[in-house]
Amino acid sequence: MKVEFTFDKEQIQQYGYTVDTVRQTIQKNFAAKGLPCVSNGEKLSFVGCGGADCGICGWDSLIEADLNQLQLVDLGYGLCTFIEAEPAWRAGQAERNYARRGSLRVATKYPRIASAWYAERGVNVDIVSLHGNIELGPIVGMTDRIVDITATGATLRDNDLVITGRIMDCTARFFVNPGAARLDPRVRNLADRLAAAVKDKHFEPVAGSAQ
């Protein structure tokens, strides 16, 4: 299994430690017990390639990784929404560009999710993959719109972006390596316990989220 921790840097430093020291200690202790503690970007590779049996990540990460993992439990937390957006002051420009160019140019960190959504709508799209400052794409005229996640809408408001489409809601999912799910009863038992815990807390799968 994979274990994640969130570190409060200021609290750690108050006790005379550093984040690196704490992280290394945790990794060493858990690795000795057969529980790899890996970074957020590595969890799917570890599970997909057999380095771990199961993990927890956002539904969007499972889609983008495309590693044939089994998503067993919608944990019901970490809700965010995938949206399409454009600068308010560029209203109508995307449509004019589409008529002229024959395609919509979109900046995103999530090319699989974006491409699938536009394909379902019959829209030709040119995806510009960015890993940061996605909102700047249409602001500087490099793209027509963005596809990104939002939880509070703060980034949209700060950059005067307006939502032009809602794609899907996304929550945290418990996922497993297919081989482990088939052969290791501990993995199936953990999935059952997590599903029961979600039910007891009255979490429900998010309406409209991809299943």
Side-chain angles (χ1 to χ4, degrees):
M1 293 185 292
K2 175 198 162 296
V3 180
E4 288 185 75
F5 294 90
T6 299
F7 299 101
D8 186 317
K9 183 176 180 180
E10 292 184 357
Q11 287 184 346
I12 288 174
Q13 290 176 338
Q14 285 177 0
Y15 290 97
Y17 298 101
T18 67
V19 171
D20 287 340
T21 299
V22 173
R23 181 183 293 113
Q24 290 169 6
T25 300
I26 290 173
Q27 289 176 336
K28 180 179 179 180
N29 291 339
F30 275 79
K33 298 179 182 297
L35 297 171
C37 184
V38 301
S39 70
N40 188 56
E42 296 173 339
K43 65 183 72 172
L44 285 156
S45 296
F46 266 75
V47 175
C49 298
D53 294 326
C54 52
I56 294 173
C57 70
W59 177 231
D60 56 300
S61 296
L62 285 167
I63 296 173
E64 289 297 324
D66 193 30
L67 289 176
N68 193 33
Q69 302 302 294
L70 295 180
Q71 179 262 130
L72 295 184
V73 185
D74 182 346
L75 298 174
Y77 69 85
L79 173 64
C80 59
T81 303
F82 273 82
I83 53 90
E84 175 196 60
E86 67 181 10
W89 51 272
R90 285 179 60 109
Q93 186 62 48
E95 289 79 5
R96 290 190 290 272
N97 289 346
Y98 191 88
R100 174 178 57 83
R101 190 192 304 128
S103 65
L104 193 68
R105 193 168 291 160
V106 176
T108 186
K109 185 182 177 181
Y110 309 94
R112 290 185 184 278
I113 292 172
S115 296
W117 187 66
Y118 286 111
E120 290 174 358
R121 299 170 67 231
V123 176
N124 294 324
V125 62
D126 296 325
I127 298 294
V128 177
S129 293
L130 299 177
H131 298 285
N133 298 316
I134 295 169
E135 66 279 357
L136 293 181
I139 291 176
V140 301
M142 181 175 68
T143 63
D144 302 311
R145 289 175 178 162
I146 66 169
V147 165
D148 204 1
I149 57 174
T150 182
T152 65
T155 299
L156 298 177
R157 291 190 296 272
D158 290 345
N159 292 278
D160 196 23
L161 297 173
V162 295
I163 295 174
T164 52
R166 293 183 180 272
I167 299 173
M168 71 176 195
D169 289 327
C170 178
T171 49
R173 310 298 172 100
F174 174 70
F175 70 101
V176 304
N177 180 289
R182 184 172 65 255
L183 300 174
D184 193 335
R186 297 176 301 172
V187 173
R188 297 192 298 272
N189 177 259
L190 179 56
D192 291 340
R193 291 168 61 189
L194 286 171
V198 169
K199 184 177 181 180
D200 288 344
K201 290 184 177 296
H202 305 293
F203 291 148
E204 295 292 339
V206 176
S209 62
Q211 299 293 325

